[in-house]
Amino acid sequence: MNGMNDREESQRQREYIKKIQGMPQITGRKYLVVTFGCQMNERDSEKIAGVLEEMGYARACSEEEADILIYNTCTVRDNADKRLYGRLGVCKQHKNANKDMIIALCGCMMQEEHVINKIRQSYPYVDIIFGTHNIFKLPELLYTRLESGSQIIDIWKDTDEIVEDLPSVRKYPFKTGVNIMFGCNNFCSYCIVPYVRGRERSRNPKEIIREIEGYAADGVVEVMLLGQNVNSYGKGLDSRVTFAGLIGEVARIDGIRRVRFMTSHPKDLSDELIQTIADNEKIARHIHLPLQSGSDRILSAMNRHYTRQGYIDLAERIRREIPDAAITTDIIVGFPGESDEDVDDTIDVIERVRYDGAFTFEYSPRTGTPAASMTQLAKEKVQPNFDRVLQTVQRISKEQAARFEGRVMEVLVEGEDEKDSTRYTGRISQNNVVHFPKSGLKIGDFAQIRLDKCKGFYYNGIVL
Ligand code: SAH
Ligand code: SF4
Ligand code: F3S
């Protein structure tokens, strides 16, 4: 992009980190990164936090307390955008109280021109804006801002750079997300992600393995491999590695006891992957397989490249080969042109596949996507269908959860139960939540727990 290779670039940023470390205005200063959106953003925020801590900032407990406040934004639906604008209003008051406060915005929303224009006009007190492709440039941008005092906007349209090995801090000591690829090439007609995250790029498998070995040596026991469509991992790389090959290799790393992944596109989930999961107890019994719609007509208008029958067959193969697997999904209701009969088809697929969990979203038009220029449905028409879908998924996932009641399952202890400090909360391989007495366990341990009582979406268990 700028003629420099990725290693030289990270070296250059390290020099800015050093310069900032030496600046008097950093002493005693605090940072906070607020994250909206998906696991990709969560992971990016860990990288941002790592860089800020390296510079000498300590983590703040609240937004008011922060001397540098970073919002890592999401724009997948309109309500994500609205939440940011609401928060920015409140920020103004924090900044009035702390004149030196720096407000920075980054993430998916910043890749949209109309957003940048609006922030320029209505939120001039924002100090730094960067995007999804140049997160690694934060040291340089912050240094420039501290030196110059003027608003800095640096947005790249796309990139082929993958800058590795800048520091990151993990939110949890025992688990972390790991990017295996960036971007998306699928262009589902409703979705903004390919426009804001750029073209699909896979990381080199050796780099991924080396990174995870480092985490394992540092006490991480669970990793989640992250990509918008992990099933197309490896395309464009010289080595002929598939996602199934990669995940098999990750599961062999000493110290890693559970491997999750997110997200699988149904159009190319391979039999090789199903077999790899079936053969490998370390790989989580959880497949998130977004359906979006159960109507062939809508699936085609969404540019999803599978049919309802193709999807049902795939889910049946998963249920047959990995009987304990939880299958979860995303569903959109209210896509342009969707009729009540189309929604009947979606409900029919839900009843056949019997999802263990599902996120149901109301369709939200995104500027610049093909679906945004189609004729939109009236809100009153969408609401009853949304409710029908929601009721169906809730009923079925409750019934599904009951199938593990009474079973003894391996649980990763993830934290204290928010409602009862004598208990812990953890997750089984299928991703369901379990609450249980502490019984001398530590956060990050694995324990055998009997799932005594299914409470709908979680279990109460006892430690064996
Ligand atoms: N790459 C993932 C999805 C990432 S976005 C995949 O393809 O599976 C997460 C979810 O947000 C999507 O699965 C979809 O259900 C929902 N979504 C994306 N764009 C949307 C829009 N414009 N309106 C409503 N929901 C949307
Ligand atoms: Fe969006 Fe489709 Fe890519 Fe998922 S696969 S991120 S829904 S374009
Ligand atoms: Fe949102 Fe960007 Fe993730 S738009 S869902 S944060 S990829």
Side-chain angles (χ1 to χ4, degrees):
M1 183 132 277
N2 50 14
M4 235 187 292
N5 75 32
D6 304 340
R7 292 228 183 277
E8 282 172 57
E9 181 59 52
S10 69
Q11 193 48 43
R12 217 168 77 84
Q13 295 304 322
R14 281 186 186 281
E15 275 154 30
Y16 281 106
I17 294 178
K18 279 206 201 90
K19 283 188 193 172
I20 294 175
Q21 284 167 345
M23 293 171 97
Q25 58 264 57
I26 297 307
T27 324
R29 291 295 161 96
K30 295 191 171 168
Y31 78 93
L32 193 67
V33 186
V34 178
T35 314
F36 301 91
C38 64
Q39 278 95 349
M40 311 278 165
N41 262 19
E42 293 286 350
R43 181 65 188 137
D44 287 345
S45 290
E46 293 186 341
K47 294 179 182 169
I48 294 167
V51 162
L52 292 167
E53 291 198 5
E54 186 102 341
M55 289 171 185
Y57 287 94
R59 196 173 176 280
C61 298
S62 67
E63 295 186 19
E64 291 100 305
E65 196 188 89
D67 299 287
I68 175 161
L69 175 57
I70 301 191
Y71 287 115
N72 190 6
T73 63
C74 170
T75 185
V76 77
R77 286 170 291 276
D78 185 49
N79 51 9
D81 287 27
K82 286 216 178 79
R83 276 171 65 205
L84 178 78
Y85 291 128
R87 294 289 272 272
L88 275 182
V90 182
C91 271
K92 178 101 202 280
Q93 293 154 26
H94 303 328
K95 197 154 177 166
N96 285 341
N98 175 4
K99 290 272 181 276
D100 289 335
M101 182 182 201
I102 288 185
I103 297 172
L105 305 179
C106 63
C108 295
M109 214 177 140
M110 299 305 125
Q111 293 295 139
E112 295 174 286
E113 214 169 287
H114 65 93
V115 171
I116 299 297
N117 292 337
K118 179 160 174 171
I119 291 169
R120 270 211 181 98
Q121 272 176 14
S122 310
Y123 305 91
Y125 51 89
V126 170
D127 298 282
I128 304 174
I129 302 176
F130 55 107
T132 56
H133 302 301
N134 58 347
I135 292 183
F136 62 86
K137 262 189 88 182
L138 175 62
E140 182 177 347
L141 300 176
L142 179 57
Y143 179 79
T144 316
R145 172 65 187 73
L146 290 169
E147 288 285 283
S148 77
S150 53
Q151 188 180 59
I152 292 175
I153 302 181
D154 189 8
I155 305 291
W156 297 5
K157 285 262 171 285
D158 202 349
T159 187
D160 48 21
E161 280 188 72
I162 297 181
V163 179
E164 314 266 0
D165 60 51
L166 281 167
S168 71
V169 288
R170 298 191 309 270
K171 196 169 165 193
Y172 305 94
F174 57 91
K175 68 168 180 180
T176 188
V178 176
N179 300 109
I180 62 165
M181 56 206 299
F182 301 95
C184 182
N185 281 356
N186 289 316
F187 289 95
C188 303
S189 64
Y190 51 83
C191 185
I192 194 76
V193 172
Y195 304 88
V196 297
R197 287 271 171 179
R199 293 295 58 72
E200 187 180 283
R201 307 168 297 283
S202 292
R203 281 179 71 196
N204 186 310
K206 288 203 180 67
E207 295 274 5
I208 297 169
I209 299 295
R210 204 180 55 161
E211 182 180 332
I212 299 175
E213 284 170 345
Y215 295 141
D218 199 27
V220 168
V221 291
E222 177 181 293
V223 290
M224 180 181 270
L225 307 181
L226 298 174
Q228 292 298 351
N229 175 13
V230 292
N231 301 315
S232 68
Y233 172 77
K235 283 184 193 151
L237 290 179
D238 297 337
S239 56
R240 293 185 139 220
V241 58
T242 60
F243 179 61
L246 177 76
I247 198 168
E249 229 181 293
V250 171
R252 278 193 289 277
I253 296 175
D254 275 345
I256 297 298
R257 295 191 49 189
R258 197 179 263 176
V259 186
R260 299 187 176 280
F261 58 97
M262 191 67 93
T263 301
S264 300
H265 196 302
K267 79 176 157 63
D268 43 21
L269 194 152
S270 66
D271 287 338
E272 185 199 5
L273 179 62
I274 298 176
Q275 214 44 58
T276 305
I277 302 172
D279 293 345
N280 204 321
E281 281 297 324
K282 277 195 192 176
I283 303 176
R285 264 60 195 135
H286 175 207
I287 299 178
H288 186 64
L289 195 63
L291 169 69
Q292 315 300 2
S293 166
S295 147
D296 281 337
R297 203 172 62 83
I298 297 296
L299 282 172
S300 155
M302 286 177 162
N303 195 31
R304 289 290 287 180
H305 295 282
Y306 54 84
T307 59
R308 74 183 257 106
Q309 196 54 49
Y311 185 102
I312 293 169
D313 292 346
L314 174 60
E316 277 174 2
R317 275 205 305 282
I318 295 171
R319 294 259 188 242
R320 192 169 59 235
E321 300 297 325
I322 324 167
D324 268 358
I327 303 179
T328 60
T329 202
D330 294 341
I331 292 164
I332 297 176
V333 182
F335 185 85
E338 186 179 60
S339 66
D340 295 349
E341 290 70 35
D342 291 319
V343 179
D344 293 343
D345 284 349
T346 299
I347 290 177
D348 180 61
V349 177
I350 298 168
E351 278 169 348
R352 285 168 194 262
V353 175
R354 300 191 56 77
Y355 291 106
D356 297 86
F359 294 108
T360 311
F361 303 112
E362 198 172 308
Y363 167 73
S364 167
R366 310 313 291 137
T367 311
T369 61
S373 47
M374 300 175 186
T375 310
Q376 307 292 310
L377 297 181
K379 212 173 160 52
E380 315 79 75
K381 192 171 161 9
V382 177
Q383 193 62 48
N385 280 332
F386 181 89
D387 293 342
R388 284 204 291 147
V389 170
L390 190 68
Q391 275 158 18
T392 313
V393 297
Q394 286 182 343
R395 172 175 55 78
I396 289 179
S397 56
K398 238 178 173 163
E399 289 167 11
Q400 283 294 103
R403 73 185 162 133
F404 298 129
E405 201 175 53
R407 288 257 304 261
V408 176
M409 306 279 253
E410 188 175 57
V411 172
L412 172 58
V413 183
E414 302 209 350
E416 203 167 82
D417 182 346
E418 276 174 17
K419 292 197 190 105
D420 181 351
S421 65
T422 68
R423 294 162 74 81
Y424 279 136
T425 292
R427 280 173 197 272
I428 57 176
S429 173
Q430 286 77 1
N431 210 34
N432 303 51
V433 168
V434 188
H435 303 293
F436 49 94
K438 285 189 172 168
S439 313
L441 292 162
K442 294 188 310 302
I443 291 171
D445 284 348
F446 281 91
Q448 296 294 320
I449 308 258
R450 199 176 65 216
L451 310 181
D452 270 352
K453 189 87 200 104
C454 174
K455 300 291 238 176
F457 300 104
Y458 65 91
Y459 303 91
N460 285 331
I462 56 158
V463 182
L464 292 188

